[in-house]
């Protein structure tokens, strides 16, 4: 993307900025939207999927992922329909992350990261992924 203005007729109007150069081969771009949201755009129709309400939320999500890997006793990965089995109503959202289609939830002893952005972009429910970080996790890590 050479200019910040998105010319695709399928994408919302306004200015989008790349969130940095691609470092891996993925069929989408990481962008900052005109309202400050952080998300991805791509697929066959150039669809825009906001992941977090802000760049700060995205950075918080990355930091939380690193911390969770360090403190968790176990990490469980769920995909597809198994993610739908999670009862997030028994958990509180991690507000600092500001998740939209991706997000984090907490209850004592458990952090859950749910990634639905790629699933929404490609209309593939099986792409939905969650990571459950269990162990000595309390509010001091949030």
């Amino acid at each position: 993307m050479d200019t910040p203005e998105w010319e695709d007729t399928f994408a919302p109007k306004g200015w989008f900025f790349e969130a940095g150069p691609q470092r891996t081969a993925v069929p989408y771009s990481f962008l900052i939207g005109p309202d400050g949201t952080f998300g991805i755009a791509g697929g066959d129709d150039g669809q825009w999927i906001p992941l977090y309400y802000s760049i700060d939320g995205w950075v918080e999500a990355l930091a939380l992922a690193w911390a969770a890997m360090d403190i968790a006793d176990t990490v469980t990965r769920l995909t597809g329909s198994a993610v739908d089995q999670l009862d997030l109503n028994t958990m509180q959202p991690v507000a600092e992350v500001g998740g939209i289609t991706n997000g984090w939830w907490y209850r004592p002893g458990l952090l859950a990261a749910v990634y639905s952005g790629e699933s929404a972009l490609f209309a593939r429910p099986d792409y939905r992924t969650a990571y459950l970080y269990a162990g000595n996790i309390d509010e001091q890590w949030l």
Side-chain angles (χ1 to χ4, degrees):
M1 177 179 283
D2 295 324
T3 63
E5 190 166 359
W6 192 273
E7 297 292 337
D8 194 314
T9 58
F10 296 103
K13 302 295 181 207
W15 291 86
F16 288 79
F17 291 92
E18 288 183 306
Q22 294 293 118
R23 290 187 171 82
T24 61
V26 291
Y28 48 81
S29 297
F30 292 98
L31 302 173
I32 302 161
D35 57 355
T37 55
F38 176 86
I40 56 177
D44 294 335
D45 60 3
Q47 184 179 6
W48 162 247
I49 302 293
L51 303 176
Y52 303 97
Y53 284 110
S54 68
I55 298 166
D56 289 345
W58 170 58
V59 172
E60 288 288 339
L62 294 174
L64 190 52
W66 278 97
M69 282 296 283
D70 191 42
I71 62 172
D73 295 327
T74 63
V75 180
T76 304
R77 180 176 179 245
L78 305 174
T79 59
S81 62
V83 177
D84 297 330
Q85 313 266 331
L86 283 175
D87 184 6
L88 298 176
N89 293 320
T90 63
M91 304 178 81
Q92 65 184 33
V94 178
E96 294 80 5
V97 170
I100 300 174
T101 53
N102 289 355
W104 284 77
W105 287 262
Y106 164 80
R107 73 170 181 245
L110 183 67
L111 274 169
V114 179
Y115 301 102
S116 300
E118 289 180 17
S119 173
L121 181 64
F122 298 112
R124 296 282 309 265
D126 54 315
Y127 283 12
R128 199 161 179 227
T129 304
Y131 291 91
L132 306 177
Y133 301 90
N136 189 22
I137 297 170
D138 57 32
E139 288 190 46
Q140 76 175 359
W141 295 102
L142 303 182

